[in-house]
Amino acid sequence: MSLNLHAIVRQAINANYADEKFKLYRSVGQKNVGGIVQAYYAPPEEIQGNFQSEGDSALDHANLAGQNTIIRRLYLYASSDQKQRPWAIYRPLARSGDYVEDSKGGQWLITAVIEDFSDAGWEAVRCTFQTTPQKLNIVEEEDESTKSDPEHPDSDPRIS
């Protein structure tokens, strides 16, 4: 049994800054449609977590210090099940492409997985606020007859 430090400090954090509910849109791949590459997302699911400011040194290290954007660190409860984590598809450099929608309808693009302790129940991701609302292409839930090949997301029969 591992010690879940996140569960220990979460009570103190929530006493000052309550968790929020978010909608998570998991990236399920992309497809070239008429010469335009379009991203596709699973239907939203509800998750909990809270935003914290991203420090200057972390942004400088990630070469993001000079950007004129709103960047936050988002701490999330996470499942140890890879299919339930707030970053569905493993990508080199831990980049995601998933979106989080806050309670006010703001969209945040997950640009990095900073800390992945999902086996212990939490993770931290870096999010960038989207000043222009994004139209997300949502695909229906898959069943056994429509499962795609994870090695080839372009072969996904749900994306037409």
Side-chain angles (χ1 to χ4, degrees):
M1 180 175 132
S2 64
L3 181 62
N4 186 344
L5 295 176
H6 187 256
I8 295 168
V9 300
R10 183 51 102 198
Q11 292 176 359
I13 293 170
N14 283 337
N16 296 300
Y17 186 52
D19 282 334
E20 295 180 51
K21 291 184 180 178
F22 300 98
K23 290 181 184 174
L24 174 68
Y25 295 87
R26 293 181 200 282
S27 174
V28 294
Q30 57 189 15
K31 186 172 182 178
N32 186 327
V33 179
I36 299 171
V37 177
Q38 295 182 356
Y40 290 86
Y41 299 88
E45 57 188 83
E46 195 170 276
I47 58 173
Q48 279 191 315
N50 70 39
F51 282 114
Q52 294 185 14
S53 295
E54 184 70 294
D56 291 338
S57 61
L59 294 176
D60 188 45
H61 182 70
N63 293 323
L64 298 172
Q67 289 191 8
N68 188 16
T69 58
I70 300 171
I71 299 173
R72 296 285 184 269
R73 182 179 288 220
L74 179 57
Y75 287 90
L76 298 170
Y77 292 98
S79 169
S80 60
D81 180 4
Q82 285 189 340
K83 293 181 180 179
Q84 299 301 314
R85 292 179 182 172
W87 48 282
I89 303 173
Y90 173 78
R91 294 168 180 88
L93 304 177
R95 290 188 170 90
S96 175
D98 297 348
Y99 278 89
V100 172
E101 183 178 309
D102 63 28
S103 60
K104 296 179 179 97
Q107 292 177 321
W108 298 80
L109 174 63
I110 298 177
T111 56
V113 177
I114 300 169
E115 297 173 291
D116 179 19
F117 289 95
S118 45
D119 290 334
W122 68 278
E123 66 184 45
V125 296
R126 179 175 294 129
C127 299
T128 303
F129 183 70
Q130 304 299 290
T131 56
T132 304
Q134 304 295 307
K135 181 188 177 299
L136 303 178
N137 299 311
I138 308 298
V139 294
E140 296 303 316
E141 293 288 336
E142 65 182 47
D143 58 26
E144 290 301 316
S145 66
T146 60
K147 279 196 175 175
S148 64
D149 179 359
E151 296 293 320
H152 301 92
D154 288 343
S155 69
D156 193 335
R158 298 171 297 157
I159 302 171
S160 56

